Amino acid sequence: MSRRARPEKSFVVRWSCLYFDTNFNVGIPNSPIECCCHLRPKTGKGGKNRRRGKGDGEETKRELEFKEEGQEYAQVVKMLGNGRCECFCFDGVTRLGHIRGKMRKKVWVTAGDIVLVGKRDFQDEKVDIIHKYSADEARNLKQYGELPETARINETAVDLAMTAEGEDDDIGIDFDDI
């Protein structure tokens, strides 16, 4: 058996450029044109900044999603961490919400957001967050009568906590007497 002589190369061959034939013999391309790394078209996908988005502020208009059977509208009361949050469902029950994997690190859910949740058949105290509504979409839902009139849109966690404490914030100091 004779050893195959390698032709002289005037370019660097990367490990990804090596190919194997049907007999599992290693082949090296004879020219940069035969090299697979030069044949691949540029996709222009970019890196981290492309995945994050350009940040040009251009929001696309999307169709409004209404609730179906087994789903409910809710407002996020408090973020708990690890993709979980405390949600006040508009059927009057506070449940533990879990952000679905497709939404994690792509759609940021914060306290005060109006979300669409899917109820679990086997656990009544837990829900899965399916969709987050923007402020405009939440106002449209309220206008259509899907959300109750008591629903507060664009409320922060501080505003929600202050209303939860109640109106009994009087500590006994009357500034009119001073």
Side-chain angles (χ1 to χ4, degrees), residues 163-176:
T163 57
E165 291 173 6
E167 298 297 323
D168 193 24
D169 290 338
D170 189 19
I171 56 173
I173 299 175
D174 190 12
F175 289 104
D176 295 332

Side-chain angles (χ1 to χ4, degrees), residues 2-178:
S2 66
R3 193 171 215 183
R4 206 166 77 167
R6 291 187 181 177
E8 290 295 318
K9 303 293 180 207
S10 61
F11 64 97
V12 177
V13 177
R14 293 188 222 159
W15 174 253
S16 63
C17 298
L18 299 178
Y19 61 89
F20 296 92
D21 62 5
T22 54
N23 296 330
F24 297 104
N25 293 324
V26 176
I28 300 174
N30 293 326
S31 67
I33 297 170
E34 291 180 15
C35 176
C36 64
C37 64
H38 293 86
L39 292 177
R40 260 185 264 134
K42 282 272 192 185
T43 55
K45 289 198 173 180
K48 176 177 151 185
N49 290 333
R50 181 196 172 271
R51 286 191 298 272
R52 186 177 282 177
K54 296 287 183 196
D56 53 1
E58 188 178 313
E59 292 186 18
T60 58
K61 186 92 169 167
R62 58 184 182 187
E63 191 175 326
L64 194 60
E65 283 192 37
F66 294 102
K67 70 176 183 177
E68 297 173 1
E69 187 179 335
Q71 295 178 348
E72 187 64 44
Y73 299 111
Q75 186 164 21
V76 177
V77 177
K78 182 168 65 169
M79 293 302 295
L80 302 173
N82 199 22
R84 294 175 299 137
C85 56
E86 186 178 324
C87 298
F88 175 73
C89 297
F90 290 122
D91 60 356
V93 182
T94 301
R95 296 182 173 101
L96 179 70
H98 183 265
I99 301 172
R100 65 184 290 201
K102 189 176 180 181
M103 290 178 62
R104 280 188 183 212
K105 296 187 179 179
K106 292 177 182 66
V107 179
W108 292 106
V109 179
T110 57
D113 288 340
I114 304 293
V115 292
L116 179 66
V117 296
K119 295 181 183 177
R120 295 183 179 181
D121 296 335
F122 50 94
Q123 291 175 316
D124 189 45
E125 68 277 354
K126 290 187 181 180
V127 291
D128 297 309
I129 296 177
I130 298 171
H131 182 75
K132 175 189 167 186
Y133 293 104
S134 66
D136 293 334
E137 291 173 332
R139 277 189 219 99
N140 288 341
L141 284 173
K142 196 171 185 179
Q143 190 176 24
Y144 293 147
E146 293 285 323
L147 295 179
E149 292 298 321
T150 58
R152 295 179 145 187
I153 300 167
N154 283 345
E155 295 289 328
T156 61
V158 175
D159 296 334
L160 291 171
M162 288 177 68
T163 57
E165 291 173 6
E167 298 297 323
D168 193 24
D169 290 338
D170 189 19
I171 56 173
I173 299 175
D174 190 12
F175 289 104
D176 295 332
D177 294 340
I178 299 176

